[in-house]
Amino acid sequence: MSVRSWFGTAVLAAATVLSCTQAASAHGEHGSHEPHTTRLFAENANANLFPPSIGARAFLYDAETGKPLRGKRVDFTTPDGSEICRAITGAEGEAACIGPLRLGTASAGALTNGYVATFRGDEQYGASHAFGTMGLLARP
C-alpha cells in the first residue's frame, strides 16, 4: 500500500468516525440528553384513627413544559423514611394512595412533621420531592 493510498484510507476513516459522532450527538446518544426537570406538589394528608390509615396525594409535572406526568411512581414516606404507601400518577399527574397508620414513633413524627412525597426519576425525567402536612381525623 502506498503512502498516498494509506493517507486516503485514513482520511476516509476519520471522516466516517466524525460523521457518526455528529449523528449520534444530534440524536441525543452517548449521554448528551439531560433528563427533564420535574416538580412535585404534595397536598395535605389525612391520618384517620378509625380505621387507622393515612391518605396521601401529590401531583407530578414536567417543570419545563408544565405538563402533568402520567405513569410515574411516587413514594410517600414519614420523615424518618418509613413507607406510608406508593402510587402511579394518572393522566393529570396525580398520585394518591392510602396506607396503614401504624401506632408508634413513625406515625407520631408524621403527624407533627408531615410526610415526604418522592419521585425517584428515570431516564427521561429527573427526581423531585415535596413535603406535605398531615391532619388527624378521629371519626369512626
Side-chain angles (χ1 to χ4, degrees):
M1 179 183 269
S2 71
V3 171
R4 186 176 190 180
S5 176
W6 178 86
F7 183 73
T9 303
V11 168
L12 181 60
T16 301
V17 168
L18 182 59
S19 175
C20 289
T21 303
Q22 288 173 342
S25 184
H27 289 95
E29 297 176 16
H30 300 294
S32 66
H33 174 71
E34 292 287 326
H36 283 228
T37 305
T38 59
R39 285 215 172 93
L40 190 61
F41 298 98
E43 290 202 344
N44 183 51
N46 290 313
N48 196 342
L49 294 177
F50 304 104
S53 59
I54 298 173
R57 185 164 87 163
F59 293 86
L60 181 64
Y61 298 95
D62 181 319
E64 296 171 29
T65 65
K67 293 182 180 179
L69 298 179
R70 179 184 190 141
K72 305 297 180 186
R73 186 176 117 176
V74 176
D75 297 315
F76 297 92
T77 59
T78 61
D80 71 355
S82 299
E83 182 180 59
I84 296 171
C85 57
R86 63 180 82 146
I88 304 298
T89 57
E92 299 301 316
E94 176 187 21
C97 56
I98 297 174
L101 176 64
R102 295 176 186 93
L103 299 178
T105 57
S107 294
L111 290 171
T112 35
N113 300 319
Y115 70 98
V116 182
T118 304
F119 169 61
R120 298 194 190 284
D122 57 24
E123 289 180 12
Q124 203 173 13
Y125 296 99
S128 59
H129 66 275
F131 297 96
T133 57
M134 191 169 301
L136 180 62
L137 300 174
R139 56 181 173 221

